[in-house]
Every structure is written in C-alpha cells, then in structure tokens.
Amino acid sequence: MIRKPRQITPYADRDLDCQAALEDAFQQMVRLAITSGWDKIEAITALQELAFAHLSTEDDNMRITLAILQAGLTKH
C-alpha cells in the first residue's frame, strides 16, 4: 500500500515523501523485471524512460491547454 501525503496542500519535502511512498513499489517492479529476465540496469533505465515520457506528455498537455485558453481569451 502506498502512503498518502501528510496533507492535501503543498508542504516542504512533499516530493521526498512521495519518493519514499513509492520506493517499495519501485523496488517490486525492478524485482519483477529481473525475475522476467531483464537485468537491474535495464529495468531501472526503462522505468526512468517511462517516467520521462509521462512527464513529457503532461508537459505537452499543459502547453496545449494553455494555448487553447489563451486563444479563447483573445477572441473576447
């Protein structure tokens, strides 16, 4: 089970708390990959690349949303 944040609103070290909360699940995914025949570095690298790809997608989505909002504001 993944721990919840200490509070809903932002706080100092929230990012570190999230990392700590996800650590066990991360290690479990690495172990599963190793059990399936991947080596540890391949598994960790793949997880890193997946994370970067998801961040890029989120960034793209945010840019598109902002562009749409700006276009809507300039029409009025």
Side-chain angles (χ1 to χ4, degrees), residues 15-66:
D15 59 330
L16 297 176
D17 284 353
C18 186
Q19 288 177 38
L22 294 173
E23 179 66 26
D24 287 342
F26 176 84
Q27 292 297 334
Q28 183 179 5
M29 288 192 311
V30 172
R31 283 191 301 275
L32 286 170
I34 291 168
T35 301
S36 297
W38 303 100
D39 71 37
K40 188 175 186 177
I41 299 301
E42 288 174 317
I44 292 170
T45 301
L47 290 168
Q48 179 184 36
E49 290 174 359
L50 284 168
F52 285 142
H54 282 267
L55 282 172
S56 179
T57 298
E58 288 299 316
D59 186 53
D60 290 345
N61 289 342
M62 188 180 301
R63 289 175 197 270
I64 291 168
T65 300
L66 288 173

